[in-house]
Amino acid sequence: MTGLVPPLEWQRVFVEPWAANSTSSAWIVLMGFFATATCGLVGNYLILRRMVLVGDAISHSVLAGIAGAFLLSGSRGSAWMFVGSLAAGIITALLIEAIHRHTRVKQDSAIGIAFTSLFALGVVLISLYGGRVDLDQECVLYGEIANVPVTVEPLPESLSRLAAHVPLLQAEFLWRGVDLVMPPDVLRMALLLMATGALIGVFYKELLVSSFDASLAVSLGIPAAVVHYGIMGILSLVAVSAFEAVGAILVIAMLILPGATAQLLSQRLPVILGLTLLHAALSAVTGLHLGTWLDCSIAGAMVVAGGGWFALAWVFNPREGLLRRVLRSAPRHDAAQPAGGIGSKEHSR
Amino acid sequence: MTPRRAIALLLACGLLLCTHTAWADRIGDITSTDWREQAWRFVTLADPAVRFALAGSILLGLNCGLLGGFIVVRRMALFGDMLSHAVLPGVALGFLWNMSKDPVAIFVGATLAGLAGAALVGLLRRTTRLKEDTVLGLVLALFFAGGICMVTRIQSLPQGNKSGIDKFLFGQAAALGPGDVQLMAAVTVLALALVCLFYKELLVASFDGAFAASLRLPVAALHFGLLLLLSFAVVVALQAVGVVLVSAMLITPAAAAYLLTDRLHRLLQGAMVMGVLAGVGGAFISFLGTNLPTGPFMVLTASAIFAIVFLFGERRGVLMRWWRRRAQAARVRRENTLKAVFHILESRGLGHVRSVALHELAAHRQGTMATARSEARVLAGHGLATLPAGAESLDLTHEGWQRACEIVRNHRLWEWYLTHQMAIAPDHVHADAENIEHLLGEDAVRQIERALPPSPVDPHGRPIPALGAGRGERTP
């Protein structure tokens, strides 16, 4: 048991990551932030729409898509991975639909059957042919966020040519810093975060209405199926991008934790989205230090740190935190105040 | 105690005894790589590792199938998933207890972690606005991440025998030892005994909680007991299936059994059988190669079983239902042709001739000659009509005539019934009768006949033909 928890040395845990190998730490934190923020933004809508189990399913089943894409293409090209994961996401959705529609198996069991099959298939493919494609079971479980910065390369030719045509990327202030030094994984995650943010910005109203009041959305002419499958598609892309950093299973943590924390603290969607980004940033930084301190998987540590922030929000939330509840209910013995508090109508459908 | 329960208990105790006699030294890693040799080894149960792997998979299948049945009917799939991920930190703690893979320490640690996860879910549910699925996903992710941190920490520790802890992630049935198997047997026996003893109570509480409460059954205690058994099942399955995929072994076999039966006890029995099949199949496949994880293969076997049941299940299989629908649609088409032939013959006055020209049939059905020809061929194929060579006509056989009379009779009986007994306007009854004529059973016909006047006519003034209306004579 001894030596399990190393002493908390200020120098080693808090100073060294930023003094000795600052670039590496910065990339790790940035990657963690981008991944958590992207997942968290999408996750907010999963939580509101009660699709958390679907998120769980997709984040597991992209593994089969990734493994399949590796085997077919023989490379770790991100285009192949995107195609594979999208295919896996679609197959998952179709399987769930087929089982749910044609049998009396309930939705939750149908989801459970579909994604575990695909995940098992992915693990089998990796354990059979994993040697060929530089992918192993550990990577599946906890990702390799600490290894991401090692692969700093110049931008691929095609990507910089593409960037020349995208007005946003031509902006000097953004591109100058990114051009040659950003590791491709981090860059991809950053682009995905921007894309997700842009999509949410553009379709803000549609997402809001269809998440809170499905029948109003239908009456306004918002196509529910398109919104649903759009979210599933984005989810597959996000899951596959975050996969490399944090592994297939911790993605679910990054999908839920920021959104759940933010939704504890606020009931306004814009505030919630902002708090999601804040939570992502905080858990990325604290996760790095926690992982350095305990000398364990940094991705896991980021999730645990995020859980810590969630616990803080749960206990000390001024409006309806655990502490507030205890203080409020202790002196007076009427438990008249319902759990939701003011404005909980917005969430309960 | 009913005899069945007693038998189940005896069987369970027998299982427990078997594991004692199977005692032998545990062998290390298997060196042979030839899959034929490995398969022979597995089939002949040549070495103890195989015996332990087999016993472990059987016990695992029994246990997971038994409790999975409750998961599937109570819609607790996400809960099972949460529980299976949440035990990981407990496994790591149990491992840390004396830095070795001690089955009992790991069992205790994992069970405690699972219960802690369930308690946290309950607490969050009560004190926050978060929905159930969010809370379950949150606890799942948090506990799993904590477990990952601990496992990676253990692996980076300098001392101790760390081999084997990574086996808990994806499972390795070949790594099961005698202690593991005994523990599994004890837990399986406990679960079987408890479920047998409280079967009726669990049944009521699973399907109608309010009714159970009104019977003064301790619903909360039953739920908690089930939860305890469930976390036992997860923990027991851990070593062979792995943390990540235990929930599949809970859900998939039980869901497959759910497709086959309506009774809970059948469901549980079926789920146990399928769980055992999946467990043994997965253990066998993973045994063929070196260092193949067992869990994914078990899950894939279970999924294959589910797929077979899904497609070919006797009553609810998708292919079977499709086949039945097709057969029924074909029958309805045949009967419609027969009806058309009858109508043509009737318009001629139902003489001796049972022959109809194909162009008459096509005109009556407002179709093409090609359709009429193919319909006639179908009738001939079923022995309901003959097609005289060269002539563009069809002759009904005796059987075809009988069948045609029956269909038209059903149609007109139903119209008569709707207008006379149900007081529905005569112009509203035809469409309904068009559908019911193919389905009207013997009993319904007899029932309507009892109310029939001596020479019945349908609401449109046409006589209702008797069964096998005689040659040449008008129907009564």
Side-chain angles (χ1 to χ4, degrees), chain B residues 123-438:
Chain B
L123 190 61
L124 280 171
R125 281 284 281 155
R126 261 181 287 121
T127 60
T128 66
R129 285 181 287 113
L130 298 174
K131 301 281 181 289
E132 183 168 27
D133 62 336
T134 311
V135 170
L136 285 171
L138 190 86
V139 173
L140 176 161
L142 269 184
F143 273 64
F144 191 76
I148 289 285
C149 281
M150 290 163 82
V151 169
T152 46
R153 175 72 195 141
I154 290 171
Q155 281 172 337
S156 69
L157 283 180
Q159 79 273 32
N161 167 24
K162 291 169 299 208
S163 72
I165 185 142
D166 54 325
K167 297 275 188 275
F168 281 97
L169 294 168
F170 289 118
Q172 188 54 267
L176 288 174
D180 303 315
V181 175
Q182 274 168 19
L183 187 69
M184 290 172 90
V187 170
T188 311
V189 168
L190 182 71
L192 267 175
L194 284 179
V195 170
C196 284
L197 282 177
F198 297 105
Y199 175 74
K200 208 189 298 166
E201 289 79 2
L202 285 169
L203 171 72
V204 176
S206 296
F207 285 97
D208 196 339
F211 179 55
S214 77
L215 290 178
R216 296 218 181 160
L217 290 178
V219 179
L222 283 173
H223 184 74
F224 181 77
L226 198 61
L227 208 139
L228 197 68
L229 285 182
L230 201 57
S231 43
F232 283 171
V234 166
V235 175
V236 155
L238 272 191
Q239 261 205 69
V241 187
V243 173
V244 186
L245 288 167
V246 169
S247 67
M249 284 303 284
L250 287 170
I251 299 169
T252 313
Y258 189 48
L259 295 182
L260 292 177
T261 174
D262 288 328
R263 320 283 312 178
L264 183 63
H265 63 94
R266 291 268 160 69
L267 167 67
L268 296 182
Q269 289 158 4
M272 288 197 284
V273 170
M274 292 188 200
V276 169
L277 283 180
V280 173
F284 176 68
I285 298 171
S286 86
F287 196 76
L288 292 183
T290 46
N291 217 9
L292 289 178
T294 320
F297 284 107
M298 284 189 184
V299 174
L300 285 181
T301 317
S303 301
I305 293 174
F306 180 84
I308 291 170
V309 174
F310 177 72
L311 292 177
F312 303 106
E314 196 189 340
R315 262 192 304 165
R316 298 199 179 78
V318 170
L319 279 183
M320 290 306 182
R321 271 191 309 181
W322 176 77
W323 183 251
R324 270 203 303 273
R325 263 206 308 276
R326 242 182 73 112
Q328 183 163 348
R331 183 173 64 86
V332 166
R333 273 199 302 279
R334 281 200 306 276
E335 291 178 353
N336 284 338
T337 318
L338 285 174
K339 196 172 60 173
V341 174
F342 185 94
H343 285 150
I344 295 169
L345 293 175
E346 189 184 41
S347 67
R348 285 197 215 138
L350 290 178
H352 275 285
V353 189
R354 298 274 156 74
S355 168
V356 167
L358 288 185
H359 67 85
E360 278 179 300
L361 183 62
H364 186 267
R365 302 210 63 184
Q366 294 170 345
T368 59
M369 277 302 281
T371 324
R373 214 168 279 135
S374 77
E375 281 174 348
R377 264 199 296 275
V378 171
L379 285 192
H382 282 80
L384 299 169
T386 52
L387 303 177
E392 286 279 293
S393 67
L394 70 87
D395 298 338
L396 286 189
T397 60
H398 180 66
E399 199 194 338
W401 175 245
Q402 293 277 353
R403 195 87 195 97
C405 288
E406 194 185 331
I407 293 299
V408 176
R409 180 179 164 77
N410 280 353
H411 183 100
R412 294 182 180 170
L413 276 177
W414 190 250
E415 286 187 337
W416 181 88
Y417 166 74
L418 285 184
T419 45
H420 286 78
Q421 309 283 74
M422 304 294 290
I424 292 174
D427 53 345
H428 277 58
V429 293
H430 177 74
D432 196 19
E434 276 292 292
N435 287 326
I436 212 84
E437 68 193 13
H438 306 289

Side-chain angles (χ1 to χ4, degrees), chain A residues 1-6 47 50-53 56 60 98-99 102-106 108-109 112-113 115-117 119-121 123-124 127-128 137-138 140-142 249-250 252-253 256-257 260 263-267 294-297 300-301 303-304 307 310 314 320 322 325 339-340 344 347-348, chain B residues 71-73 75-78 81 85 96-97 99 120 123-124 126-131 133-134 137-138 140-142 144-146 148-157 159 166 169-170 244-245 247-248 251-252 255 258-262 291-293 296-297 299-300 303 306 310 316 318 321:
Chain A
M1 278 304 263
T2 51
L4 182 65
V5 179
I47 295 174
R50 298 186 158 216
M51 281 166 58
V52 167
L53 188 51
D56 192 16
H60 277 79
I99 297 175
H102 291 298
T103 69
R104 57 197 184 132
V105 172
K106 313 280 189 309
D108 62 334
S109 300
I113 295 168
F115 85 78
T116 50
S117 313
F119 187 76
L121 187 67
V123 176
V124 165
S127 57
L128 285 181
Q137 295 172 10
E138 266 83 58
V140 171
L141 284 171
Y142 15 93
I249 298 165
L250 292 178
I252 183 73
I256 302 174
L257 262 178
Q263 291 187 17
L264 277 186
L265 294 174
S266 171
Q267 293 176 358
L294 295 178
D295 189 19
C296 65
S297 152
V303 173
V304 171
F310 172 82
W314 177 34
E320 50 193 69
L322 203 57
R325 271 164 203 272
S344 66
H347 284 270
S348 58
Chain B
I71 286 222
V72 167
V73 299
R75 306 193 180 201
M76 284 163 61
L78 184 54
D81 202 26
H85 285 74
L96 283 172
W97 186 252
M99 287 313 288
L120 186 59
L123 190 61
L124 280 171
R126 261 181 287 121
T127 60
T128 66
R129 285 181 287 113
L130 298 174
K131 301 281 181 289
D133 62 336
T134 311
L138 190 86
L140 176 161
L142 269 184
F144 191 76
I148 289 285
C149 281
M150 290 163 82
V151 169
T152 46
R153 175 72 195 141
I154 290 171
Q155 281 172 337
S156 69
L157 283 180
Q159 79 273 32
D166 54 325
L169 294 168
F170 289 118
V244 186
L245 288 167
S247 67
I251 299 169
T252 313
Y258 189 48
L259 295 182
L260 292 177
T261 174
D262 288 328
N291 217 9
L292 289 178
F297 284 107
V299 174
L300 285 181
S303 301
F306 180 84
F310 177 72
R316 298 199 179 78
V318 170
R321 271 191 309 181

Side-chain angles (χ1 to χ4, degrees), chain A residues 267-280:
Chain A
Q267 293 176 358
R268 309 280 316 154
L269 194 56
V271 183
I272 288 177
L273 293 180
L275 286 172
T276 303
L277 295 181
L278 178 67
H279 180 272

Side-chain angles (χ1 to χ4, degrees), chain B residues 25-44:
Chain B
D25 286 333
R26 195 180 143 200
I27 65 160
D29 287 338
I30 291 124
T31 47
S32 159
T33 50
D34 182 37
W35 68 269
R36 276 183 225 90
E37 207 173 303
Q38 290 285 79
W40 180 245
R41 258 175 142 177
F42 192 91
V43 174
T44 52

Side-chain angles (χ1 to χ4, degrees), chain A residues 101-162:
Chain A
R101 176 169 305 166
H102 291 298
T103 69
R104 57 197 184 132
V105 172
K106 313 280 189 309
Q107 176 108 17
D108 62 334
S109 300
I111 294 176
I113 295 168
F115 85 78
T116 50
S117 313
L118 282 179
F119 187 76
L121 187 67
V123 176
V124 165
L125 286 179
I126 287 173
S127 57
L128 285 181
Y129 308 104
R132 250 191 263 162
V133 288
D134 177 30
L135 188 73
D136 54 21
Q137 295 172 10
E138 266 83 58
C139 169
V140 171
L141 284 171
Y142 15 93
E144 30 191 36
I145 196 168
N147 298 341
V148 167
V150 180
T151 59
V152 176
E153 290 161 12
L155 273 180
E157 182 72 9
S158 56
L159 199 56
S160 20
R161 230 182 300 130
L162 178 77

